[in-house]
Amino acid sequence: MVDNKNISRRGFLKTVVASGAVVAASSVGCKSPKEEALAQKEVPTGEMTYRLNNKGEKISILGYGCMRLPTKKVEGTQDETVIDQDMVNRHVDYALEHGVNYFDTSPAYCKGKSEAAMGIALSRHDRSKYYIATKLSNFAKSTWSYKESVKMYHKSFEELQVEYIDYMLLHGIGMGGMENLKARYLDNGVLDFLLKEREVGKIRNLGFSYHGDVECFDYLLAHHDKYKWDFVQIQMNYIDWKHAARDANAEYLYAELEKRGIPVVIMEPLRGGALANVNYSILAMLKRENPEASAASWAFRYAGTPKGILTVLSGMTYMEHLQENIRTYSPLVELTEKENEMMLRAGEMILNYPLIGCTGCQYCMPCPYGIDIPAIFTHYNKCINEGNFTDNINDDNYAKARKAFLVGYDRSVPKLRQADHCIGCQKCEKHCPQSIPIAKNMRMIDKYVESIKRNEKA
């Protein structure tokens, strides 16, 4: 057995190499015959698991997150910033056909284009067949006034092409603390306005998404008798249950909501994709329990199992992601007590590896100096998980790890957007819901890159 609490970087790499022999066929880009067969397995229709909201309406346990919609290249550029509307339409049609009926968007998603894209895709269907969630995303100070916030609210109706919104959220509660909460929603009368909109039926369910300062969370729940929250959205996965990067872990947040009977919407069940690509030693443990189940399916089962969970959001950019998640939840097989303990143990193991807890939410972007922060962290974490990270030239894995990191870095992040262009201004850090010391990590990654560029093993 490996002592995960005291594992060194070199020890970690040895563990990865050893474990790789066990699950090499399950690594990225190399599926076992069983997994290939599963990928071709028919996607169930009519078997989706549903949960009831406080109005008795059936909500699919799989929610369609609209933060990362499919994109296509713009002719003449390397940019992939235009939403592929045809692909969005196909995804929405497929999701509805297979029982998904909850769609979560925001004026802030996809550079402000998500609501319009979802409006086009969903308006092609019977309005009674889906539930749309959006947010009052008045992050910028210029939108904090009553007039500008209400303007943003009304624009959501236009973009989504709806006469009522099923689920409206106060977006990003906790970011900036109580001062921001008061300025964005309380002192300017915006929350009072939303409550009145709920009374007249323009909003059918009112809630908030929690992103940080627990004082804000506790304040809004302490006034539940006044606000009567219909639901609350929190980040929950098998790492955050005990070890959230924010002020409070998911165990506390869930317990506070559950005892008040407030339905819970889950975001980041994969922690920005990190739990879909766990390192080999953890994947080996999961494969011993169920050789055919993916790491992602385990994470989704974990998020959907507790009672009171209304829906689990997933940003499904690719059709295969949508299909796999539908399989997982059609129907949901809830975790046993033994499996739940295994997942929490996996979370402890992950925390002992030097990963950066980026979820790819993009709140840190755009960087004023053009750095692609999420892409850099994604590549770094991928190399950690695959055992391609070492600065010890005497390590047997050094040459392979060096090549994988440098080649993959240039392929996934354009040179002008890499970590060496960070000046340490820390403007991004105040927007990070995970409280990541971004500038410090950029320096670390840049130092590592320069080190392995200089030291090529003969």
Side-chain angles (χ1 to χ4, degrees):
M1 295 294 290
V2 177
D3 180 1
N4 291 298
K5 291 184 178 179
N6 298 301
I7 193 167
S8 66
R9 178 180 293 168
R10 189 170 186 178
F12 163 69
L13 290 170
K14 288 181 178 178
T15 301
V16 167
V17 171
S19 301
V22 178
V23 293
S26 302
S27 62
V28 176
C30 184
K31 293 182 179 179
S32 69
K34 284 186 177 181
E35 286 180 316
E36 289 288 0
L38 182 62
Q40 301 301 320
K41 183 181 176 183
E42 184 179 352
V43 180
T45 301
E47 297 183 36
M48 175 62 63
T49 295
Y50 294 90
R51 297 280 170 82
L52 298 180
N53 66 11
N54 287 340
K55 294 179 173 64
E57 297 166 332
K58 293 168 61 176
I59 306 298
S60 59
I61 189 67
L62 176 59
Y64 196 109
C66 308
M67 179 188 282
R68 303 176 180 94
L69 296 178
T71 58
K72 60 183 178 181
K73 289 187 177 182
V74 183
E75 277 190 42
T77 75
Q78 296 299 312
D79 235 355
E80 291 192 355
T81 57
V82 173
I83 292 175
D84 187 338
Q85 189 65 53
D86 289 339
M87 187 62 71
V88 172
N89 293 350
R90 287 199 287 273
H91 283 198
V92 167
D93 295 348
Y94 193 91
L96 288 166
E97 179 186 346
H98 289 82
V100 178
N101 65 6
Y102 188 97
F103 298 84
D104 172 86
T105 184
S106 158
Y109 293 169
C110 301
K111 299 184 179 180
K113 302 301 175 85
S114 178
E115 283 186 324
M118 294 310 297
I120 293 169
L122 287 168
S123 64
R124 298 154 50 247
H125 295 273
D126 184 335
R127 181 67 178 89
S128 67
K129 301 299 183 184
Y130 63 89
Y131 299 93
I132 188 73
T134 194
K135 307 169 183 72
L136 188 53
S137 306
N138 57 348
F139 296 126
K141 284 189 176 182
S142 60
T143 62
W144 286 5
S145 71
Y146 178 88
K147 178 181 177 181
E148 291 301 317
S149 291
V150 170
K151 180 180 177 182
M152 178 181 290
Y153 167 80
H154 285 305
K155 186 178 180 183
S156 290
F157 284 80
E158 296 174 14
E159 299 280 36
L160 293 168
Q161 303 181 39
V162 295
E163 294 183 358
Y164 62 89
I165 289 173
D166 300 287
Y167 289 81
M168 172 61 73
L169 296 90
L170 282 62
H171 196 183
I173 294 302
M175 295 173 67
M178 283 299 297
E179 182 180 351
N180 275 29
L181 172 60
K182 291 177 180 179
R184 292 173 60 197
Y185 296 115
L186 304 182
D187 295 345
N188 59 5
V190 168
L191 179 52
D192 291 332
F193 166 79
L194 295 176
L195 291 169
K196 290 176 181 176
E197 288 291 279
R198 183 174 62 179
E199 285 180 15
V200 300
K202 299 294 284 184
I203 295 172
R204 301 191 67 244
N205 297 276
L206 182 62
F208 63 89
S209 64
Y210 170 70
H211 288 261
D213 192 328
V214 75
E215 182 184 1
C216 299
F217 179 87
D218 290 340
Y219 175 88
L220 292 180
L221 288 197
H223 293 80
H224 178 50
D225 289 344
K226 175 182 178 182
Y227 301 132
K228 294 181 172 55
W229 302 111
D230 297 298
F231 70 107
V232 172
Q233 186 168 306
I234 63 171
Q235 177 170 313
M236 193 180 89
N237 49 65
Y238 61 85
I239 292 179
D240 289 320
W241 185 253
K242 294 283 187 184
H243 303 283
R246 302 167 182 173
D247 285 1
N249 60 33
E251 182 179 26
Y252 171 80
L253 303 173
Y254 169 79
E256 290 299 302
L257 296 170
E258 198 271 335
K259 73 184 182 184
R260 292 173 172 84
I262 302 174
V264 184
V265 174
I266 300 302
M267 58 183 168
E268 299 295 352
L270 296 181
R271 256 206 172 201
L275 301 185
N277 297 288
V278 296
N279 66 62
Y280 293 142
S281 57
I282 294 170
L283 186 58
M285 180 175 71
L286 301 180
K287 290 295 179 183
R288 284 193 295 270
E289 191 69 23
N290 185 343
E292 294 186 358
S294 67
S297 69
W298 278 106
F300 278 106
R301 286 180 62 205
Y302 178 88
T305 291
K307 65 178 182 178
I309 302 301
L310 185 65
T311 191
V312 179
L313 301 177
S314 177
M316 297 170 282
T317 309
Y318 303 104
M319 181 62 80
E320 53 265 37
H321 297 161
L322 176 58
Q323 291 173 330
E324 181 181 8
N325 292 344
I326 290 171
R327 290 190 190 99
T328 300
Y329 284 147
S330 296
L332 165 65
V333 178
E334 296 182 358
L335 292 184
T336 64
E337 185 175 342
K338 176 186 173 184
E339 289 173 331
N340 188 73
E341 290 174 357
M342 178 185 71
M343 299 312 295
L344 292 177
R345 187 163 67 252
E348 295 281 355
M349 292 169 66
I350 290 171
L351 287 173
N352 287 313
Y353 297 124
L355 297 172
I356 296 171
C358 175
T359 66
C361 70
Q362 301 281 334
Y363 291 158
C364 60
M365 299 292 284
C367 166
Y369 298 95
I371 299 166
D372 193 338
I373 299 167
I376 293 169
F377 289 162
T378 295
H379 176 67
Y380 170 86
N381 285 341
K382 180 176 183 289
C383 288
I384 289 289
N385 279 330
E386 295 179 357
N388 293 320
F389 187 87
T390 177
D391 55 6
N392 182 356
I393 197 168
N394 296 316
D395 196 303
D396 293 340
N397 193 54
Y398 180 81
K400 174 180 173 291
R402 177 183 183 276
K403 180 179 179 180
F405 197 100
L406 292 178
V407 172
Y409 194 33
D410 286 343
R411 286 178 178 172
S412 57
V413 187
K415 288 187 178 295
L416 292 177
R417 307 194 71 185
Q418 294 181 358
D420 58 329
H421 288 79
C422 176
I423 68 164
C425 69
Q426 299 180 306
K427 290 181 180 179
C428 52
E429 295 183 7
K430 64 182 180 181
H431 300 296
C432 178
Q434 309 299 329
S435 303
I436 296 170
I438 295 173
K440 179 181 178 181
N441 281 299
M442 286 294 161
R443 288 194 298 272
M444 177 273 293
I445 292 171
D446 181 42
K447 183 177 179 181
Y448 173 71
V449 169
E450 290 304 312
S451 172
I452 62 175
K453 277 183 177 179
R454 289 194 304 269
N455 299 318
E456 182 173 5
K457 192 172 184 178

